Amino acid sequence: MRKNDFDVIIVGAGPAGLAAGYVLAKEGINVAIIERGIFPGSKNVMGGIFYRSSLDDLIPDFYKEAPLERHIVEQKIWLLSDDSMFSVGLKSEKYNAEPYNCFSVFRAKFDKWFAKKVLDASAMIINETVVKELILDKEKVVGVRTDRPNGDLYSDVVISAEGVNSFLPKYLGLRREINTNNVALGVKEVIELPDKVINDRFGVSNSSEGVAIEITGPYFKEMRAMGFVYTNRNSLSIGIGAVIEDLVRLKINPNDLLETLKGHPAIKPLISGSETKEYMAHMIPEGGYYSMPKLYYDGFMVVGDAAMLVNSIHREGANLAIESGKFAAKTYIEARKIGDFSQRTLSAYQKKLEESFVLKDLKTYRNLPKLLEEKKYLISKYPKFLIDAMYEIYNVDRVSKSDKIKLILNKAKKEIGYFNIIKDIFSVWRNFK
């Protein structure tokens, strides 16, 4: 009989792969994580918001030692038009109390720290190695073929944690080619500012408190796009993600889109006097529930971005990746006890996800990507109407408030139509059923 090199091989050392590796190693499972980069995080350009709860049960109070930037005390949504900004949000002292809800983070630093924890748990991480294909035996995945000499490695199970542009699930026919309607291209700059300047501009008391701003609205011209500004200790992360299909359709360069955003009257004062230190781009899963591939096969599971597990409405990705990694690891441990790694047994991984908030939330928003594809005006026309209406309400010009309300209603009738408003409300309601 062929001897396995490892019990489990994980391809990709992002949050999903590292979480799976950590759980397995803690249980004494012989696990290897194969990473293309020179170290975990070296190829990860994400700098965004990281939610605490998904990792806290693996490494309690991890936030006290992990390389995090600021804990977020205020979260805002901005609707931008060419010359205005409408804002809603929440600032709470509850977010300013340990163990904190979420943090701004640089993933290159964070993943490297997390990888050290995984190594300390006795997992093996093999860097600078590319998995070229899967090894199958009678349709069961039994290992991977790498680009190293004599690089065939065998295991009970292979877990794909490769990211959005994953190759291995496609190799097995579990997913189709990426649809440009289901993936966004994100571009981001890290711009340097003194921490005291950041504190003053964003209204926080000290350099451990942070603010997260999500940005959408008519400023993006019926594009399915979302901008953001996140505060780090001595810098800001500013960027925008737009669905690739819209970028192609409108022939827009995402770099130009970011420069335009930086010049908006609401953004410009926040970044004044800053210096760009880093620029990066990456793909983001946007298709939601219906874009997910099949998540299991004989001897194989798919986790994280490779499984399209991103909740773009609530900017949740890394936490879903960690949850999926934990569930995949627990599924393997259960399968190992009965010595069965068939897809019938590994399908328990899918059930675990379905019973958790991960797929419950994605199911809640399952129809939204299709709705926004068909009715792009929902993210431009209605926000513009709201901004214009609020301008009329707050503009004191000796016109009575009752007349202003009539003016706003007439504007709604003329520019959108009452019947169309009712239809759109029904469409949104139906898509959340």
Side-chain angles (χ1 to χ4, degrees):
M1 292 181 64
R2 181 195 68 249
K3 183 179 179 182
N4 283 343
D5 300 285
F6 301 96
D7 297 324
V8 178
I9 294 171
I10 300 169
V11 184
L18 291 172
Y22 187 85
V23 172
L24 291 167
K26 280 290 190 179
E27 291 294 320
I29 306 298
N30 185 14
V31 56
I33 304 174
I34 301 177
E35 166 60 31
R36 289 188 304 160
I38 58 174
F39 61 84
S42 64
K43 299 180 71 65
N44 198 305
V45 299
M46 179 266 199
I49 302 302
F50 183 86
Y51 290 91
R52 172 195 53 79
S53 60
S54 290
L55 187 58
D56 209 28
D57 63 335
L58 292 186
I59 309 174
D61 296 336
F62 76 92
Y63 63 91
K64 295 180 179 179
E65 58 172 298
L68 305 169
E69 292 295 308
R70 296 177 181 238
H71 63 268
I72 302 302
V73 299
E74 184 174 15
Q75 304 190 53
K76 301 180 181 181
I77 299 175
W78 283 6
L79 303 180
L80 297 189
S81 64
D82 289 340
D83 57 5
S84 302
M85 176 269 289
F86 177 80
S87 175
V88 294
L90 175 67
K91 184 174 185 178
S92 175
E93 280 302 302
K94 294 177 182 177
Y95 291 143
N96 207 14
E98 292 190 25
Y100 307 120
N101 177 47
C102 59
F103 307 84
S104 55
V105 64
F106 291 121
R107 278 276 307 282
K109 296 179 181 179
F110 182 83
D111 286 8
K112 192 174 182 179
W113 169 86
F114 194 6
K116 177 64 166 56
K117 293 291 184 182
V118 176
L119 287 170
D120 291 345
S122 298
M124 177 181 287
I125 298 179
I126 306 172
N127 296 315
E128 298 183 90
T129 302
V130 175
V131 171
K132 300 173 67 175
E133 61 185 29
L134 294 166
I135 301 173
L136 286 87
D137 181 6
K138 298 178 182 178
E139 301 301 314
K140 177 187 182 299
V141 176
V142 294
V144 298
R145 179 158 293 135
T146 73
D147 62 349
R148 294 196 175 198
N150 302 313
D152 288 4
L153 298 173
Y154 292 88
S155 63
D156 295 328
V157 166
V158 173
I159 297 176
S160 168
E162 308 159 82
V164 60
N165 199 22
S166 56
F167 163 70
L168 299 182
K170 188 167 60 175
Y171 184 89
L172 292 172
L174 302 185
R175 52 161 279 193
R176 299 183 293 272
E177 291 289 339
I178 290 178
N179 185 327
T180 53
N181 265 314
N182 293 336
V183 179
L185 179 61
V187 294
K188 187 193 80 171
E189 289 183 5
V190 176
I191 56 177
E192 191 173 74
L193 279 172
D195 58 344
K196 291 183 179 179
V197 173
I198 294 173
N199 297 345
D200 290 342
R201 291 182 181 178
F202 288 83
V204 293
S205 301
N206 57 64
S207 300
S208 67
E209 299 176 5
V211 176
I213 304 172
E214 309 292 333
I215 305 162
T216 188
Y219 193 62
F220 299 129
K221 316 298 182 190
E222 286 198 7
M223 292 183 65
R224 288 164 289 174
M226 181 74 75
F228 60 86
V229 179
Y230 304 141
T231 57
N232 308 311
R233 287 195 178 272
N234 299 291
S235 66
L236 302 176
S237 294
I238 179 169
I240 186 168
V243 172
I244 293 176
E245 178 69 24
D246 291 349
L247 292 171
V248 173
R249 173 175 56 88
L250 298 172
K251 298 180 180 179
I252 292 177
N253 185 319
N255 305 321
D256 296 337
L257 200 60
L258 177 57
E259 289 302 314
T260 301
L261 177 64
K262 289 163 62 180
H264 189 277
I267 301 293
K268 200 170 182 178
L270 297 179
I271 64 175
S272 176
S274 63
E275 180 181 357
T276 299
K277 289 297 183 180
E278 295 181 53
Y279 173 85
M280 51 209 72
H282 67 124
M283 291 197 296
I284 309 166
E286 290 281 339
Y289 183 78
Y290 289 128
S291 70
M292 291 168 51
K294 185 179 177 182
L295 300 180
Y296 54 90
Y297 189 83
D298 290 334
F300 188 79
M301 289 180 279
V302 189
V303 297
D305 281 8
M308 304 295 276
L309 295 175
V310 170
N311 185 339
S312 57
I313 303 300
H314 294 278
R315 61 154 192 272
E316 294 181 45
N319 62 322
L320 306 190
I322 289 171
E323 293 288 347
S324 68
K326 292 190 296 187
F327 289 139
K330 292 174 183 177
T331 301
Y332 170 80
I333 293 167
E334 293 169 358
R336 179 184 171 93
K337 291 177 181 177
I338 60 174
D340 180 5
F341 306 107
S342 68
Q343 60 179 310
R344 182 185 63 182
T345 300
L346 298 186
S347 66
Y349 164 55
Q350 171 104 21
K351 186 175 181 181
K352 287 177 172 59
L353 283 171
E354 288 175 346
E355 292 173 347
S356 76
F357 76 94
V358 176
L359 287 193
K360 286 180 180 179
D361 284 352
L362 290 185
K363 282 183 178 179
T364 297
Y365 299 109
R366 64 192 180 280
N367 295 312
L368 194 58
K370 184 66 174 177
L371 177 66
L372 294 180
E373 178 186 347
E374 295 173 348
K375 299 188 174 188
K376 297 180 178 68
Y377 63 86
L378 291 174
I379 53 178
S380 58
K381 185 177 290 186
Y382 284 97
K384 183 180 184 303
F385 172 76
L386 176 61
I387 292 168
D388 292 344
M390 296 309 297
Y391 172 80
E392 288 295 337
I393 293 295
Y394 285 113
N395 186 42
V396 178
D397 54 4
R398 302 179 68 187
V399 176
S400 71
K401 297 300 184 283
S402 60
D403 287 340
K404 283 180 178 288
I405 291 172
K406 291 178 183 177
L407 178 67
I408 291 169
L409 292 175
N410 286 334
K411 186 180 180 72
K413 181 179 180 180
K414 181 179 179 181
E415 295 185 359
I416 305 175
Y418 293 156
F419 181 67
N420 290 332
I421 292 173
I422 293 171
K423 282 201 306 181
D424 289 337
I425 291 173
F426 177 74
S427 293
V428 172
W429 172 78
R430 184 178 58 189
N431 275 275
F432 282 97
K433 287 184 64 178

